[in-house]
Amino acid sequence: MIRLERRASASRFWVWATPVVAVALTMIFGGLMFLLLGKNPVEVIRTIFWDPLFGEFAWYLRGQLLVKAGPLVLIAIGLSLGFRAGIWNIGAEGQYIMGAIVGAAVGLAFFPTENRWIFPVMVIAGAFGGWAWAMIPALLKTRLNTNEILVSLMLVYVAQVILAMASTGFLRNPEGSGFPGSRNFSNYPAAGNPELIAGSGLHWGGVTAIFVAIAAYVLLQRHILGFQIKLAGQAPRAARLHGVVPQRLIVLCMGISGALAGLAGLFEVTGPAGQISIDFNVGYGFTAIIVAFLGRLNPLGIVLAGLIMALTYIGGEMAATNLGLPSAAVQAFQGMLLFFLLGVDVLTNYRIKLGGAA
Amino acid sequence: MSADQPILFIAEGIGKSYPGVRANDDVNFAIKRGEIHALLGENGAGKSTLVKMIYGLVKPDQGHMEWLGAPFAPADPARARAAGVGMVFQHFSLFEALNVAENVALGMENPPRLAQLSAKISKVSADYGLPLDPARRVGDLSAGERQRVEIIRCLLQSPKLLIMDEPTSVLTPQEVEILFKTLRQLAAEGTAILYISHKLEEIRVLCDRATILRRGKVVATAYPAKTTAREMAELMVGSALASPARAGKAQGAAQGAPALEVRGLSAPSPIPFGTSLKDISFAVAKGEVLGIAGVAGNGQDELVLALSGEMACAADMIRAKGESIGAMGPNARRARGFVVAPEDRLGHAAAPDMSLVENAFLTGAVQRKLARRGFVHWAGAKAFAEEIIAAFDVRTPSSDVAARALSGGNLQKFVIGRELRQSPDVIVINQPTWGVDAAAAAFIRQAILTCAEGGAAVVVISQDLDELMEISDNFAALNEGRLSVPRPRAGLTMEEIGLMMGGAHGMEVAHV
């Protein structure tokens, strides 16, 4: 019989070994899945994990890594603060969309004025859009005690409808011959977010992500707010004794994660995506949840996890186009990563004991 | 009850280990029929483990048990019950929404029809002087009445051995009397009772023999009636105990404006199914210790939340040194020298998974100025944690250990020390020595008295009457969210205390 036995204190080894083991298990079982789909598992896994970094097209794909990792890290860090406090914002995807729409709308309102303050104002508007969208579940929770998981998740679908309205209606390019989609920001320098170093994939979103990761690290290690966030998540009653007002913390954490998701959306729409379109969002808001946990809710871990996740995205797309792998299989592969992560995570607080004789 | 009774149960060489702990080590003892046998020991001495083995919840690693001369190794509680072992746990397992008879039926393997069962319950309750209406909803019962449901549930199976785990912790003195009468009657009829407690006076009054455990081993078998409580305590602890003492403080030396004044404090409970506070008024002077007694669930938690600032109330309802502080949060109160130590160590007073340094910061941040412009001064927090550890003799490998790794007594010393080291003017402590071993309890009480001597106003809320008698100057009791008028402790009789604790339940029963 296999039994789980609680450890006296969390294992430091397993805190960091868990993601590594989870990635390894994902490769093994993902490989099995690819085998059942009739693909060569070694080739698929090489395509996903190796080729983007060292393969034929690595010169281009390495840049893509930062393009994809930037928004993931930015969103995941915001989410991780809430998750640490026991506040479950699952609707970052919606906040990401709303940030992009509000920021883009502000920028497009100035078109074609050229002024160097336009982009910073758009950044603020983008953060505001995400923040405002996150305030809906936050205030409903503090006022009416609704469940923030459900409300934030449902608001994603509302945001998607608004996105469709924006790209076919109020933000549609008047010179776009009736096609859905807004003006392209790459043709509007004052509002654009181009690559800062050619070929690196680094744009203002990536820079912000790095800055936010450092700020979050300092916040959690050194600042009283970081202490309160951790305390509220681990021992809510002790947090109240300390002087934390739970309602304020909910509004704060939801607001931070919403604003960062909104920023990610704004940087994406003005940079890599270029315009508001119906399918502008690609699920960064949901994938960021995996990234947050893969990075152990630790800002520096999240940076690493964001890069790994970006790798599976890029490699997954390559595998889909080059090897004819269904895209659902790639998503299942990413899902496995979270599944194994949460499964192996048990070992942080428990040890496995074999043999049943008690 | 006498030596010639046949042996019912024998344990020989029982051993049981958990990771890092030897819970039981070569334990030998025997229970005779019709005997009230005390199992005595500090927290963590191995009482619960031993009892769980008899009840089939845990299997021993070594040794064997005998029941009426035959080997006894119950695989699960159902088999232990079938052999004739009944157990009343410290924490009840009852469904509040169901009535008494339904609750009893749920615990039975083959329950009879409810009408029949109700009749049986009425009969048993009448036979043993435990009045209980089978049709009443458990949610409406007092703690003492709930315990009766558990006892009657056991008695219906006519046990040969009844195990009672800390049964009096939830009872008023009157209810304790009724319980003891019932237990004596059961013993006289030949039922053996294994009585687990650390309340020595009770054991002296009730029990025929006592097996004393220390760190998993049997250290003595005593005849409580012939042994003093002090001797038993010293056997339990393994060293001589010092009684708390106050050097210079004269009783009733309360002069000047009260350091803490609560006036007309009424507030709904923030806890679901909690007790609302109703018009609570009291005042505590500098150097005074006010003891507040009461059966659990009568508003203690709510009163502590209101005093700590975790629960909002009107500004004028609480005044410290003349200033209205009722509307202030915990940190504003701490800044005014007002500290509170709640009851629950793991989860309320301390965060279990955080280190002692972080837990020192938890309430010490304001008074020790451990945060500067929002940034935590961790070196200062560590120094504060180490100061507490040294001053309160907290046994821990280092200050970086998680709070949950400490034993109950050590963590309690840390939590109390954390508050008392902040040179407070007003101290509120809920259950200062709950679940703490005797040596740590004596240490904590002494520390509280020393603070009072130093001029602090102290409120101690406790369910341990002996403790309150020992340390308080004035005494009051909470009952259903109301506080009795505080009276000087000296000269109070147990009878009066029972009435203050709102012995309405108890008294009603006492006349049956």
Side-chain angles (χ1 to χ4, degrees):
Chain A
M1 198 177 78
I2 302 171
R3 285 186 305 135
L4 287 173
E5 197 175 271
R6 193 169 166 87
R7 294 177 193 270
S9 56
S11 157
R12 292 193 76 80
F13 170 76
W14 277 106
V15 166
W16 293 104
T18 298
V20 179
V21 173
V23 169
L25 284 172
T26 307
M27 285 190 185
I28 294 168
F29 285 90
L32 272 176
M33 176 179 72
F34 298 139
L35 193 70
L36 290 174
L37 287 168
K39 311 287 174 194
N40 177 354
V42 178
E43 198 186 349
V44 177
I45 287 172
R46 199 199 62 215
T47 309
I48 294 177
F49 285 102
W50 185 262
D51 286 358
L53 292 174
F54 309 104
E56 200 184 335
F57 300 102
W59 55 271
Y60 168 72
L61 293 174
R62 279 186 210 159
Q64 285 296 299
L65 206 58
L66 287 185
V67 170
K68 305 267 184 202
L72 286 177
V73 170
L74 205 49
I75 301 171
I77 284 179
L79 292 181
S80 72
L81 296 179
F83 292 169
R84 284 218 170 187
I87 298 160
W88 304 100
N89 177 7
I90 304 298
E93 183 77 4
Q95 294 139 23
Y96 169 86
I97 293 172
M98 293 311 287
I101 293 176
V102 173
V106 167
L108 292 171
F110 287 111
F111 184 84
T113 322
E114 285 291 336
N115 185 313
R116 64 197 171 99
W117 292 108
I118 291 179
F119 189 66
V121 170
M122 288 171 71
V123 170
I124 293 167
F128 172 79
W131 174 83
W133 206 243
M135 277 305 104
I136 301 172
L139 295 179
L140 284 175
K141 184 178 175 71
T142 53
R143 297 286 151 81
L144 302 173
N145 205 20
T146 59
N147 183 316
E148 78 276 21
I149 299 176
L150 292 177
V151 178
S152 65
L153 179 63
M154 288 192 293
L155 282 171
V156 172
Y157 305 108
V158 179
Q160 282 173 353
V161 172
I162 297 175
L163 175 67
M165 284 163 60
S167 55
T168 56
F170 61 90
L171 290 184
R172 194 179 61 183
N173 184 356
E175 293 154 23
S177 357
F179 283 105
S182 71
R183 282 182 200 278
N184 200 309
F185 286 97
S186 57
N187 302 325
Y188 181 21
N193 175 26
E195 261 186 339
L196 297 172
I197 304 162
S200 69
L202 186 72
H203 57 72
W204 283 115
V207 175
T208 310
I210 293 166
F211 173 77
V212 166
I214 295 168
Y217 183 80
V218 173
L219 177 83
L220 287 173
Q221 296 297 321
R222 297 261 153 221
H223 199 273
I224 192 162
L225 178 61
F227 173 77
Q228 291 175 343
I229 285 173
K230 289 187 274 186
L231 186 61
Q234 291 183 13
R237 286 187 304 144
R240 256 170 265 148
L241 177 70
H242 168 72
V244 172
V245 180
Q247 279 78 6
R248 259 185 244 161
L249 200 65
I250 290 167
V251 169
L252 194 75
C253 285
M254 289 293 282
I256 291 175
S257 57
L260 290 179
L263 274 182
L266 180 273
F267 289 128
E268 188 69 15
V269 75
T270 52
Q275 60 170 169
I276 291 281
S277 59
I278 293 179
D279 52 359
F280 149 77
N281 62 312
V282 287
Y284 282 142
F286 290 122
T287 311
I289 298 170
I290 306 180
V291 171
F293 281 102
L294 193 61
R296 321 285 337 160
L297 303 181
N298 175 310
L300 306 185
I302 286 171
V303 172
L304 279 179
L307 289 168
I308 290 176
M309 214 58 203
L311 194 62
T312 67
Y313 255 93
I314 298 161
E317 269 169 40
M318 294 248 302
T321 47
N322 296 353
L323 305 174
L325 200 68
S327 62
V330 175
Q331 285 168 16
F333 186 74
Q334 289 169 342
M336 273 184 197
L337 192 54
L338 181 65
F339 175 82
F340 284 118
L341 185 77
L342 297 178
V344 178
D345 199 31
V346 169
L347 295 174
T348 309
N349 281 310
Y350 294 85
R351 74 186 78 195
I352 291 178
K353 220 174 172 187
L354 296 170
Chain B
M1 285 224 263
S2 54
D4 50 291
Q5 289 279 3
I7 301 282
L8 173 70
F9 170 86
I10 299 176
E12 271 178 359
I14 296 289
K16 176 77 196 171
S17 294
Y18 292 109
V21 198
R22 187 94 178 119
N24 282 156
D25 190 1
D26 193 26
V27 170
N28 297 298
F29 82 111
I31 305 171
K32 295 175 199 159
R33 286 195 153 191
E35 171 186 51
I36 305 184
H37 193 113
L39 204 50
L40 188 60
E42 296 187 274
N43 277 68
K47 294 170 297 185
S48 301
T49 308
L50 189 56
V51 161
K52 281 180 186 163
M53 287 190 266
I54 302 173
Y55 197 57
L57 284 166
V58 173
K59 287 187 201 71
D61 296 341
Q62 292 97 30
H64 78 287
M65 298 185 284
E66 271 180 32
W67 182 262
L68 292 170
F72 181 60
D76 52 53
R79 267 171 249 188
R81 280 197 295 270
V85 182
M87 179 152 177
V88 176
F89 289 90
Q90 193 176 0
H91 301 285
F92 309 138
S93 44
L94 297 171
F95 295 94
E96 301 207 339
L98 300 181
N99 71 27
V100 170
E102 287 163 339
N103 264 290
V104 171
L106 277 173
M108 299 175 89
E109 263 101 87
N110 299 303
R113 304 185 68 105
L114 272 184
Q116 252 179 303
L117 185 62
S118 298
K120 268 187 168 175
I121 291 173
S122 301
K123 183 173 182 317
V124 173
S125 73
D127 286 353
Y128 290 97
L130 294 171
L132 196 62
D133 177 357
R136 272 185 75 192
R137 224 171 54 104
V138 167
D140 300 331
L141 302 183
S142 72
E145 289 169 312
R146 287 177 200 213
Q147 186 181 58
R148 279 176 216 159
V149 180
E150 296 273 13
I151 295 174
I152 285 174
R153 180 190 267 178
C154 288
L155 293 186
L156 281 173
Q157 299 174 335
S158 333
K160 298 188 181 73
L161 172 66
L162 182 62
I163 304 172
M164 307 276 309
D165 190 2
E166 305 259 351
T168 58
S169 54
V170 295
L171 303 183
T172 62
Q174 280 84 354
E175 287 176 320
V176 171
E177 266 314 303
I178 295 169
L179 174 69
F180 283 8
K181 230 163 145 183
T182 306
L183 294 181
R184 288 195 190 101
Q185 185 185 344
L186 277 168
E189 290 171 5
T191 306
I193 290 158
L194 186 58
Y195 189 91
I196 302 167
S197 180
H198 59 256
K199 293 187 183 170
L200 301 162
E201 287 302 339
E202 262 177 38
I203 286 174
R204 291 195 61 223
V205 179
L206 181 71
C207 300
D208 303 315
R209 280 200 304 162
T211 295
I212 302 175
L213 289 175
R214 184 165 79 229
R215 292 199 201 123
K217 291 185 182 176
V218 175
V219 291
T221 304
Y223 292 88
K226 296 176 198 154
T227 317
T228 66
R230 193 182 184 83
E231 282 166 337
M232 284 195 284
E234 289 175 0
L235 284 168
M236 254 163 72
V237 182
S239 63
L241 278 179
S243 304
R246 278 165 112 156
K249 164 78 172 68
Q251 259 162 34
Q255 318 123 338
L260 170 67
E261 197 179 2
V262 173
R263 197 176 288 160
L265 171 59
S266 299
S269 173
I271 307 164
F273 304 108
T275 308
S276 299
L277 299 177
K278 298 172 195 96
D279 196 25
I280 288 180
S281 297
F282 63 87
V284 190
K286 278 169 71 90
E288 176 189 338
V289 179
L290 172 67
I292 296 183
V295 172
N298 273 295
Q300 287 93 336
D301 292 337
E302 289 81 2
L303 180 59
V304 171
L305 291 178
L307 290 173
S308 74
E310 292 169 74
M311 177 172 129
C313 59
D316 281 342
M317 287 179 180
I318 305 173
R319 292 164 159 274
K321 291 180 277 180
E323 188 183 5
S324 298
I325 62 162
M328 289 180 185
N331 283 322
R333 296 188 191 194
R334 283 183 197 120
R336 287 161 177 77
F338 188 139
V339 301
V340 174
E343 166 183 5
D344 189 4
R345 292 185 281 275
L346 287 172
H348 195 186
D353 290 312
M354 286 191 162
S355 72
L356 295 182
V357 175
E358 288 167 294
N359 274 300
F361 180 80
L362 183 76
T363 68
V366 174
Q367 198 266 341
R368 290 296 168 118
K369 299 190 173 59
L370 297 176
R372 288 170 202 161
R373 279 197 250 129
F375 284 88
V376 180
H377 181 40
W378 284 120
K382 194 174 172 70
F384 182 41
E386 273 160 12
E387 176 191 323
I388 300 166
I389 289 168
F392 276 73
D393 186 30
V394 179
R395 310 276 166 83
T396 171
S398 88
S399 57
D400 296 317
V401 177
R404 73 162 191 228
L406 264 63
S407 73
N410 274 314
L411 184 56
Q412 186 69 10
K413 283 201 268 184
F414 183 83
V415 166
I416 301 284
R418 181 181 68 189
E419 305 308 331
L420 299 188
R421 295 297 295 181
Q422 296 182 34
S423 16
D425 301 318
V426 180
I427 303 166
V428 176
I429 304 180
N430 190 13
Q431 299 273 62
T433 61
W434 175 77
V436 160
D437 60 69
F443 184 94
I444 288 169
R445 289 178 196 146
Q446 183 62 60
I448 294 171
L449 289 182
T450 307
C451 271
E453 235 170 78
V458 183
V459 178
V460 173
I461 300 169
S462 176
Q463 283 158 51
D464 184 342
L465 283 178
D466 298 338
E467 169 169 274
L468 292 177
M469 290 295 101
E470 193 172 296
I471 63 174
S472 52
D473 302 312
N474 288 309
F475 183 93
L478 266 175
N479 180 29
E480 290 179 357
R482 293 177 201 281
L483 190 75
S484 68
V485 177
R487 292 169 56 180
R489 185 248 341 179
L492 275 182
T493 64
M494 269 314 201
E495 187 93 53
E496 289 169 312
I497 291 170
L499 284 172
M500 287 168 91
M501 284 167 73
H505 293 295
M507 292 315 288
E508 176 191 308
V509 165
H511 294 302
V512 171

